[in-house]
Amino acid sequence: MAERSDAADEPAAPDRQNALGSSGGGRLDDLAAFFRERPRLRTLAVAGPPYAILVLFFAIPLLAMVVVSFQTGDIGGPWTLSNYTEFLNSDTYLSVVWQTLLISVQVTAIVTVVGYALAYSIVRFSRRTTLLLLLVILPFWTSYIIRMYAWINILQSDGVLDSTLNMVGLPALSLLYSEPAVLIGFTYVWLPLAVLPFYASLTNLDSDLIEASKDLGAGPVRTFASVTLPMTINGVVTGIILVFIPTFGSFITPRLLGGTSNIMIGMVIENQFKSAFNWPFGAAIGMVISVVVVALLILGTRLGGGLFAQGGEES
């Protein structure tokens, strides 16, 4: 009789779940009300973790590099400007910076043109967009070093490329350890990074604007210049940034595909840290390059955005 009484006193299963759910919902409501009454604490709870990550992994290392760049000899030595003056007064280092800038601009231009055309073709002329995008990002599933060694086998003398050219009666090119090999390697590596923002911007493009431009008598080139490109300029700028910055600081691709005749500034910085063990001088070079890259990106973004905005107003 006692057991039957206890069972009768217990609430049914759905009632228990409702009770637990009501209790959990009550705690969530109390928590929401707690943060609603404290807007500053709510902002800190939402934005605090991302800012903490930025400070820990970006601001502190950058500050440490700035401090080290003003020291001489071993870390902890006296403060000096000699690292900066030595770099800025050296024609050898400045010529390497100029060569790096030229290669980075070439790579960015090639990747932008090829990537935009590829993304435009996927959006406008294909129904298998998912499959094509999967093929575009497929190289990211393979190690960067393995991909570079694959290109060594393709571009080296008597490699895959030369053997194929010989089979069709054309002379061998032997591109390995040349500037074209570096451009090919960079284009292959960064093309997926550019295609994705291009594709996202083209997907959001209103096709009615293109049809309206055609109805008003504009040809394909004018429609592209006055409608398509200005409407997708945010994606283009994003793609350019994603390609230009890593190319300017890269050292693996030029080292493996360019040999010793195609030195980029990233290779110089790596040498200062890993071979010369002159960390202050390497940090000074890194700071100068960071300032140059940021200045170029700000200038390019403002000039590009201004030109396209002007074109959009004219159209």
Side-chain angles (χ1 to χ4, degrees):
M1 292 295 291
E3 293 179 357
R4 195 179 309 158
S5 176
D6 294 341
D9 293 339
E10 289 184 357
D15 294 337
R16 288 200 302 270
Q17 292 179 356
N18 292 334
L20 292 174
S22 176
S23 176
R27 286 194 291 270
L28 290 177
D29 292 339
D30 294 340
L31 185 62
F34 176 80
F35 281 106
R36 193 181 303 115
E37 296 173 354
R38 298 167 177 81
R40 292 185 178 180
L41 184 59
R42 181 181 57 190
T43 303
L44 181 62
V46 174
Y51 277 107
I53 292 175
L54 285 176
V55 170
L56 185 62
F57 294 102
F58 178 75
I60 292 178
L62 182 63
L63 180 61
M65 193 169 73
V66 172
V67 172
V68 172
S69 68
F70 284 103
Q71 295 179 336
T72 182
D74 297 332
I75 297 177
W79 295 79
T80 179
L81 289 174
S82 61
N83 297 317
Y84 288 94
T85 56
E86 179 183 354
F87 175 72
L88 296 175
N89 292 327
S90 173
D91 294 336
T92 302
Y93 291 129
L94 294 181
S95 65
V96 173
V97 174
W98 178 249
Q99 182 176 351
T100 303
L101 179 62
L102 292 180
I103 292 177
S104 300
V105 171
Q106 293 179 72
V107 170
T108 304
I110 295 173
V111 172
T112 301
V113 173
V114 175
Y116 197 93
L118 180 58
Y120 190 85
S121 300
I122 293 175
V123 174
R124 297 283 294 176
F125 306 118
S126 177
R127 296 180 180 178
R128 300 180 181 275
T129 56
T130 303
L131 175 62
L132 294 176
L133 284 178
L134 179 63
L135 293 176
V136 168
I137 65 175
L138 194 61
F140 278 126
W141 297 0
T142 307
S143 169
Y144 187 101
I145 300 297
I146 293 177
R147 282 181 281 162
M148 290 299 101
Y149 275 102
W151 275 109
I152 290 176
N153 289 325
I154 294 174
L155 300 176
Q156 66 183 355
S157 300
D158 299 329
V160 176
L161 178 61
D162 287 353
S163 300
T164 304
L165 293 175
N166 291 331
M167 288 176 60
V168 298
L170 296 175
L173 297 177
S174 300
L175 292 178
L176 188 61
Y177 304 135
S178 65
E179 184 173 330
V182 177
L183 296 179
I184 292 173
F186 275 133
T187 301
Y188 170 76
V189 169
W190 304 132
L191 186 62
L193 283 180
V195 169
L196 294 180
F198 294 164
Y199 173 83
S201 62
L202 287 167
T203 303
N204 296 325
L205 177 64
D206 189 355
S207 60
D208 292 340
L209 297 176
I210 298 177
E211 297 300 328
S213 178
K214 294 179 180 178
D215 293 340
L216 293 174
V221 176
R222 184 171 177 77
T223 299
F224 176 80
S226 59
V227 177
T228 305
L229 191 54
M231 296 297 293
T232 58
I233 188 60
N234 291 332
V236 174
V237 172
T238 302
I240 290 175
I241 292 174
L242 290 177
V243 173
F244 184 82
I245 292 179
T247 303
F248 205 92
S250 179
F251 59 91
I252 297 178
T253 298
R255 179 179 296 282
L256 295 179
L257 301 182
T260 57
S261 60
N262 295 278
I263 298 176
M264 296 181 66
I265 195 62
M267 300 166 64
V268 177
I269 297 175
E270 181 208 15
N271 182 65
Q272 294 299 321
F273 278 93
K274 298 182 64 177
S275 300
F277 297 105
N278 192 353
W279 287 27
F281 188 59
I285 300 176
M287 289 306 305
V288 173
I289 298 306
S290 299
V291 172
V292 171
V293 170
V294 171
L296 289 175
L297 288 176
I298 293 175
L299 180 64
T301 303
R302 292 193 172 184
L303 288 178
L307 290 175
F308 286 115
Q310 187 178 5
E313 292 174 358
E314 290 177 354
S315 63

